[in-house]
Amino acid sequence: MNGLSTILIVFGLFLLGGIYSFVKQKMPKNLIVLVSIAAAMCLVAGVMRLEVWN
């Protein structure tokens, strides 16, 4: 596991916590969807960069 994949996965998990917080605060749905897409992209990019796939 290299540094960039670790950063992407941790940031994706951070954004997932933000989604949970936004839902509890009843923020607008389009903001929650936008943050959800960003979290999914970070997590997928971090997992795809792992060195176990090589």
Side-chain angles (χ1 to χ4, degrees):
M1 181 180 275
N2 60 9
L4 183 58
S5 64
T6 304
I7 290 171
L8 285 169
I9 291 171
V10 168
F11 189 63
L13 292 174
F14 173 76
L15 288 175
L16 284 178
I19 294 167
Y20 177 73
S21 173
F22 285 172
V23 169
K24 288 195 61 118
Q25 293 178 29
K26 296 185 178 27
M27 298 292 274
K29 296 289 182 194
N30 57 355
L31 179 65
I32 295 171
V33 169
L34 181 66
V35 176
S36 300
I37 292 170
M41 287 179 17
C42 284
L43 288 172
V44 168
V47 169
M48 293 299 288
R49 286 192 55 90
L50 289 175
E51 294 164 354
V52 284
W53 308 115
N54 293 333

